[in-house]
Amino acid sequence: MAFLFLVTSVGYNRLMRVAICLYIILVVFSASCAHRENPPLFDIVNDSGIDFNNRVEDGKLENSFLFRNFYNGGGVAIGDINNDGLCDVLLSSNMGENKLYLNKGGFKFEDISQKAGLRQDSMWSTGVVMADVNGDGWLDIYECNSGHMPTGHRKNKLYINNRNLTFSESAKQYGLDISAYSTQVSFFDYDLDGDLDCFMINNSPIPVNQLNYSNKRDLPEQEWTVGEFLKGGGDHFFRNDDGHF
């Protein structure tokens, strides 16, 4: 009886090993079939013409100790700037040039940043958005800028579409040449008067719970006395009245 029990046990163990192997083979085969029937949702597009790298390097005036948002990154906006039915791409850079790529079709893009009139003279761009700010049926571009705490060199820019793949920087004309620590804006018609208004999100200039500034947490930015370059925080809401915000 003991001998028969031993043989049965050995046979059972072998059977279990065979069953487990068959199960693994079945799972792998099923996964392979599913892979063939359901291809991946995304594919890498090589040689698209979009060659962009938002590279940042620590320096004496720009680093993570002086500017806490140093590694927040840039922004991206996608829209049809020439009304040809193809989505174009704008990528913002912190320490380099912002890039506008025109969609030529077939996942091929052309860098038209320079001839479009984009000027990166307010460095450290953050969020960007495409919107028809002047209501003429063509997308305009608004770029937020931040950083440069000691110099205050961070005015936001509004590029009005000239309808010929060029843009005119017109932020001052529209009242939107804001010098703050802007992260992003949103354009929408909050008062339903037919034009777009603007809500702007700005970072706080410094971490007010650190560096012994915690007692200033509730003060409006106009009352800060630790240096002019520290002003520019807080969110702002701009109403559009006859083309001026």
Side-chain angles (χ1 to χ4, degrees), residues 9-151:
S9 299
V10 172
Y12 177 77
N13 291 336
R14 287 179 177 175
L15 180 62
M16 287 301 296
R17 288 196 294 270
V18 171
I20 292 173
C21 291
L22 289 175
Y23 176 76
I24 293 174
I25 293 172
L26 180 62
V27 169
V28 172
F29 179 76
S30 299
S32 176
C33 292
H35 178 73
R36 287 197 298 268
E37 294 175 0
N38 301 298
L41 295 177
F42 298 93
D43 290 319
I44 296 177
V45 177
N46 296 314
D47 301 323
S48 66
I50 297 180
D51 183 13
F52 182 83
N53 181 13
N54 182 26
R55 183 180 179 87
V56 294
E57 296 181 357
D58 289 272
K60 291 183 178 180
L61 295 180
E62 301 294 347
N63 56 64
S64 55
F65 292 98
L66 294 177
F67 180 42
R68 65 171 179 169
N69 304 308
F70 189 81
Y71 292 111
N72 275 18
V76 58
I78 298 176
D80 184 4
I81 62 171
N82 59 342
N83 292 341
D84 66 349
L86 300 173
C87 289
D88 311 297
V89 180
L90 175 65
L91 295 162
S92 74
S93 175
N94 297 141
M95 306 185 81
E97 296 290 330
N98 296 338
K99 295 293 184 179
L100 178 60
Y101 294 94
L102 181 68
N103 193 337
K104 308 292 287 186
F107 294 105
K108 298 295 183 181
F109 294 82
E110 177 189 355
D111 182 357
I112 63 169
S113 311
Q114 294 298 320
K115 60 184 180 182
L118 302 189
R119 305 195 313 269
Q120 187 67 341
D121 52 8
S122 291
M123 299 294 289
W124 207 275
S125 294
T126 52
V128 292
V129 67
M130 293 182 181
D132 185 10
V133 177
N134 60 354
D136 66 349
W138 295 71
L139 288 180
D140 310 299
I141 298 171
Y142 193 82
E143 294 179 355
C144 295
N145 291 296
S146 189
H148 296 276
M149 296 184 69
T151 64

Side-chain angles (χ1 to χ4, degrees), residues 83-238:
N83 292 341
D84 66 349
L86 300 173
C87 289
D88 311 297
V89 180
L90 175 65
L91 295 162
S92 74
S93 175
N94 297 141
M95 306 185 81
E97 296 290 330
N98 296 338
K99 295 293 184 179
L100 178 60
Y101 294 94
L102 181 68
N103 193 337
K104 308 292 287 186
F107 294 105
K108 298 295 183 181
F109 294 82
E110 177 189 355
D111 182 357
I112 63 169
S113 311
Q114 294 298 320
K115 60 184 180 182
L118 302 189
R119 305 195 313 269
Q120 187 67 341
D121 52 8
S122 291
M123 299 294 289
W124 207 275
S125 294
T126 52
V128 292
V129 67
M130 293 182 181
D132 185 10
V133 177
N134 60 354
D136 66 349
W138 295 71
L139 288 180
D140 310 299
I141 298 171
Y142 193 82
E143 294 179 355
C144 295
N145 291 296
S146 189
H148 296 276
M149 296 184 69
T151 64
H153 189 54
R154 50 179 176 271
K155 279 192 176 182
N156 296 343
K157 294 188 177 298
L158 171 62
Y159 291 97
I160 296 298
N161 198 327
N162 296 325
R163 311 182 192 183
N164 58 2
L165 296 180
T166 68
F167 295 80
S168 297
E169 205 291 301
S170 308
K172 186 175 182 179
Q173 173 186 337
Y174 284 79
L176 290 175
D177 57 334
I178 310 302
S179 182
Y181 299 91
S182 299
T183 299
Q184 185 60 296
V185 298
S186 179
F187 288 95
F188 61 101
D189 185 8
Y190 90 95
D191 51 2
L192 301 181
D193 65 349
D195 56 28
L196 295 182
D197 310 291
C198 178
F199 185 78
M200 180 181 298
I201 298 175
N202 296 317
N203 271 306
S204 299
I206 59 172
V208 294
N209 59 337
Q210 301 176 17
L211 304 177
N212 203 29
Y213 294 135
S214 58
N215 61 325
K216 299 179 181 291
R217 179 183 296 273
D218 298 325
L219 291 180
E221 63 177 87
Q222 292 84 357
E223 298 182 20
W224 279 67
T225 58
V226 291
E228 181 69 24
F229 68 91
L230 290 179
K231 295 182 179 181
D235 301 336
H236 296 277
F237 194 16
F238 298 92

